[in-house]
Amino acid sequence: MSSANSLVLGRVIGDVVDLFSPEVTLRVMYNGVRVVNGEDLRPSAVSARPRVEVGGDLHQFYTLVMVDPDAPNPSNPTLREYLHWLVTDIPGTTDANYGREVVCYESPRPAAGIHRVAVVLFRQMARGRRFRPPSRHS
């Protein structure tokens, strides 16, 4: 199964982001183990901030967003898009530690049910500029 297919099956595409074509590589690793889309992880496995590697152009900057679309619980996600981490000004071909952490990493600790956590990378127009997400049309 391709990475995009697992995002569609897991409803990350549709609930969190619109269908997209990846332009750079994004690797998320907890304790040196790469996370695979759709993989189940225990809260203890994600307690420490992950290492996030960004591909792309060294002269390009990126914003990383980590959200939980199922908060506080999947059957009633009234806190949908709960923000767990926000890093801006990440240079391409490096890791997120070289960016500017705007919201410190908060470990996902679901109180009820199994939650999805989405890590999304956006290309910035320029370093230090605020990210402006595209508008969604219903």
Side-chain angles (χ1 to χ4, degrees):
M1 176 184 321
S2 79
S3 179
N5 286 343
S6 63
L7 294 175
V8 170
L9 288 174
R11 296 181 338 273
V12 171
I13 292 177
D15 282 357
V16 180
V17 294
D18 293 330
L19 186 61
F20 64 94
S21 296
E23 294 181 9
V24 299
T25 59
L26 175 65
R27 289 186 184 92
V28 179
M29 293 168 284
Y30 282 98
N31 301 313
V33 178
R34 186 173 180 184
V35 175
V36 177
N37 289 335
E39 181 176 23
D40 290 337
L41 299 170
R42 297 195 176 282
S44 60
V46 298
S47 61
R49 182 172 71 183
R51 177 177 170 88
V52 177
E53 296 176 348
V54 176
D57 180 354
L58 182 59
H59 301 290
Q60 184 64 60
F61 293 91
Y62 301 89
T63 293
L64 178 121
V65 180
M66 176 188 268
V67 296
D68 176 351
D70 299 321
N73 78 54
S75 62
N76 187 22
T78 57
L79 299 176
R80 175 165 280 193
E81 304 296 329
Y82 184 87
L83 182 62
H84 282 277
W85 198 23
L86 176 64
V87 184
T88 64
D89 298 332
I90 305 167
T93 69
T94 188
D95 68 56
N97 288 328
Y98 292 100
R100 186 171 68 92
E101 192 173 51
V102 177
V103 174
C104 295
Y105 179 77
E106 179 184 342
S107 174
R109 292 180 300 273
I114 296 172
H115 290 233
R116 299 168 294 161
V117 174
V119 179
V120 182
L121 188 71
F122 296 96
R123 182 171 42 104
Q124 294 177 197
M125 298 306 288
R127 185 175 190 176
R129 289 181 105 178
R130 293 179 182 238
F131 168 73
R132 185 173 176 190
S135 61
R136 284 197 163 188
H137 303 285
S138 300

